Amino acid sequence: MKKFLDLGLQPLANKYLTRKDLIIKRKEQFYHLEVGFDNKTKLVSILNKVSSQKMFDNNYPYRSSMSKTMTESFKKLSKEIIKTYKPKLILEIGSNDGSLIKNFNKKNAICVEPCKNLAKITKKKGFKTYAEYWDLKLAKKIKSKYHNVDLIYSANTLSHIANLDSVFKSISYLLSDNGILIIEDPSLLECLKRVAYDQFYNEHIYVFSLLGIINKIKKHNLQVFKVEKLKTHGGSIRYFIKKNLNLNIKIHNSVKKHLKDELNYKMNNFKTYIKFGEKVKKSKKNLISIFNNIKKKNKKIIGYGSTAKSVTVLNYCKIKSETLDYFVDTTPNKTCKYMPGTHIYIKNYRKSLLDDIDYIFLGAWNFKDEIFKKEKKFIKKGGKFITHIPTPKII
Ligand code: JHZ
């Protein structure tokens, strides 16, 4: 693994602090966020990993149902899965608060979600939920009860698990011979193109490319047969995967096409990543200068969407509450708390909070369209947004 990016010391994303934590000066855990490229597998990953148990505990705040964009994307996919693959049994790894699985019949669906506070939600709705980490032991437990599973789905989860060999071995073991695996995660190609360095934080152990996925799954008898580009999370890829043995499914053109796009961008070449690292440094300088210029004019700036991604940006650029007054967010477990590292306060979103605001930093830049639609009044009265994607600018 060769390092190409150093984002400094970072706190754990999603570890929001309470008022009491600040008063008693509870020590936050920091880690060195460095990112590297493996020339053999072509995988990009962070170099200093934090254990799953520390990250995905029983108080995990992120809820996938908080955005309309995501719930609609899951609804559309669920319809497609039912129509195309007609699964008798679907298993979701990392089911979060059930925003995908709620579109399926309880009798034909199994959830795997290690964060007990989230697992509770799907359990309460009547879905069989294993509040455990995904590994071979769990796959064996599920197989002994249900035999084979014919569709496994996982969004924004497998890139969060360090041991990919264990992940794919367990999936291959549980999946029926004609079974389908569908995974989706942020796209490395889009991340590079958009200089979205905030896709790197402790939970995102990997940012996947098709090149890397193909290399990693082949030894587990798995094969990508189709890819779809998604707009979600700043550009994601949905990988449709089958077992090698299954010759009934043809390899779709999209695989060849996407591979070509990745190779044209020279994603197999370390130099590309070095160049990306240079762009990140420039992005930091320009974002800081935008904030400084606004503050010189005594204008008020807040953040919108206290994302894991913005934890990386704020800590890397050393932007604190002298610059950003506070964040607004709709997630119950984040509000009335403080951002990791920078300790910027997070208010529960109310439209009226934006009345006396001049500038909004888009923490959730990936939901720009959804947010712009919602905040027409703010835009109409002359309010401006600040984004760092693809280059720092005021919109
Ligand atoms: P969002 C998380 O990353 C963590 P984050 C995780 N590691 C991952 O992989 C991705 O998700 C999938 C708020 N919001 O999705 C809700 C509003 O308040 O970009 C969320 O807190 N109002 C699992 O945190 C945040 O923004 C709104 O109108 O980077 C969005 O977080 C909208 C649209 C969102 O993920």
Side-chain angles (χ1 to χ4, degrees):
M1 203 50 87
K2 268 163 86 182
K3 180 174 120 180
F4 64 86
L5 185 62
D6 186 339
L7 295 165
L9 277 187
Q10 292 275 352
L12 304 192
N14 274 311
K15 295 286 178 213
Y16 299 89
L17 295 110
T18 60
R19 197 173 166 70
K20 193 172 160 209
D21 291 334
L22 293 193
I23 292 168
I24 63 166
K25 295 195 166 67
R26 191 189 296 277
K27 225 174 160 221
E28 285 181 89
Q29 186 184 337
F30 281 80
Y31 68 103
H32 193 175
L33 180 52
E34 297 174 294
V35 192
F37 172 70
D38 182 349
N39 201 26
K40 202 167 142 229
T41 60
K42 312 298 175 205
L43 279 170
V44 162
S45 80
I46 61 166
L47 303 184
N48 305 303
K49 300 176 183 75
V50 177
S51 76
S52 302
Q53 284 74 6
K54 270 207 176 128
M55 297 190 281
F56 308 111
D57 56 14
N58 302 331
N59 206 11
Y60 189 69
Y62 180 74
R63 302 274 301 264
S64 53
S65 63
M66 285 298 125
S67 110
K68 221 171 137 198
T69 313
M70 287 317 290
T71 50
E72 278 171 5
S73 166
F74 287 142
K75 199 169 168 187
K76 195 167 155 232
L77 173 68
S78 304
K79 275 191 191 152
E80 189 190 322
I81 288 178
I82 293 167
K83 197 172 145 217
T84 315
Y85 303 110
K86 305 175 186 66
K88 288 196 226 43
L89 190 57
I90 172 168
L91 173 113
E92 186 182 5
I93 305 172
S95 46
N96 199 277
D97 60 359
S99 43
L100 172 106
I101 215 76
K102 71 168 190 209
N103 301 301
F104 290 87
N105 189 325
K106 291 181 189 74
K107 285 187 220 131
N108 311 336
I110 307 168
C111 303
V112 173
E113 176 49 65
C115 305
K116 292 204 172 66
N117 61 318
L118 299 173
K120 231 198 243 154
I121 302 172
T122 46
K123 269 185 194 168
K124 222 173 166 180
K125 287 185 186 150
F127 286 94
K128 174 71 195 167
T129 307
Y130 290 90
E132 293 176 46
Y133 295 96
W134 176 253
D135 57 15
L136 194 59
K137 202 170 128 220
L138 179 58
K140 284 186 174 164
K141 191 158 133 186
I142 296 173
K143 191 161 183 154
S144 69
K145 191 157 176 210
Y146 296 93
H147 306 294
N148 287 329
V149 174
D150 48 10
L151 203 138
I152 297 181
Y153 176 74
S154 189
N156 302 306
T157 301
L158 302 192
S159 56
H160 296 55
I161 310 177
N163 190 343
L164 290 181
D165 278 325
S166 155
V167 164
F168 290 113
K169 186 178 177 186
S170 319
I171 287 175
S172 190
Y173 169 83
L174 185 61
L175 199 63
S176 64
D177 285 345
N178 295 321
I180 305 290
L181 164 67
I182 305 174
I183 62 177
E184 60 184 75
D185 283 279
S187 152
L188 182 60
L189 178 60
E190 293 304 321
C191 164
L192 297 177
K193 279 185 181 169
R194 289 167 203 230
V195 200
Y197 63 90
D198 52 352
Q199 288 291 7
F200 298 109
Y201 51 90
N202 58 306
E203 292 178 10
H204 281 181
I205 296 177
Y206 302 94
V207 175
F208 288 144
S209 59
L210 177 59
L211 278 165
I213 286 289
I214 289 176
N215 282 332
K216 217 54 215 176
I217 66 175
K218 61 183 172 209
K219 74 167 175 217
H220 303 290
N221 299 320
L222 296 167
Q223 198 179 16
V224 179
F225 67 88
K226 188 168 96 174
V227 290
E228 269 174 20
K229 281 195 193 179
L230 307 175
K231 285 200 175 140
T232 54
H233 291 298
S236 297
I237 304 183
R238 184 175 284 155
Y239 306 84
F240 292 78
I241 297 168
K242 67 178 185 80
K243 286 208 166 159
N244 278 342
L245 293 170
N246 182 353
L247 301 175
N248 294 329
I249 297 178
K250 298 249 151 34
I251 311 292
H252 197 262
N253 273 343
S254 55
V255 179
K256 211 165 137 190
K257 176 163 185 319
H258 194 79
L259 258 183
K260 206 171 142 206
D261 290 348
E262 291 191 350
L263 291 171
N264 280 345
Y265 202 83
K266 300 195 170 59
M267 277 170 65
N268 55 346
N269 191 335
F270 186 62
K271 271 193 203 148
T272 305
Y273 299 92
I274 293 287
K275 271 191 212 153
F276 172 77
E278 293 306 318
K279 286 185 199 162
V280 173
K281 280 187 203 153
K282 208 167 142 197
S283 173
K284 172 183 181 172
K285 226 174 109 200
N286 292 342
L287 185 66
I288 293 174
S289 124
I290 287 179
F291 276 118
N292 287 345
N293 287 338
I294 295 174
K295 278 326 255 187
K296 267 189 218 148
K297 292 181 203 148
N298 271 327
K299 300 282 184 195
K300 199 163 169 179
I301 319 173
I302 64 160
Y304 198 116
S306 50
T307 56
K309 294 184 287 294
S310 53
V311 172
T312 295
V313 179
L314 300 178
N315 285 282
Y316 177 55
C317 299
K318 302 202 167 39
I319 294 163
K320 299 192 178 167
S321 50
E322 295 84 44
T323 308
L324 271 185
D325 277 36
Y326 55 85
F327 264 87
V328 288
D329 201 288
T330 50
T331 315
N333 282 343
K334 292 187 181 181
T335 51
C336 304
K337 290 188 181 159
Y338 297 82
M339 291 290 275
T342 56
H343 302 178
I344 298 171
Y345 189 59
I346 307 161
K347 288 193 183 179
N348 191 1
Y349 169 83
R350 265 183 292 122
K351 231 185 186 70
S352 58
L353 281 173
L354 311 187
D355 287 350
D356 66 334
I357 304 299
D358 305 299
Y359 291 87
I360 290 176
F361 170 63
L362 274 175
W365 56 267
N366 44 313
F367 294 119
K368 182 171 144 238
D369 294 348
E370 184 175 338
I371 294 169
F372 278 26
K373 222 187 232 171
K374 224 159 105 181
E375 307 307 345
K376 279 195 189 118
K377 195 177 147 206
F378 172 76
I379 298 171
K380 212 168 160 196
K381 71 149 183 117
K384 300 266 183 250
F385 287 91
I386 305 166
T387 186
H388 61 294
I389 301 290
T391 47
K393 60 172 178 264
I394 296 170
I395 320 176

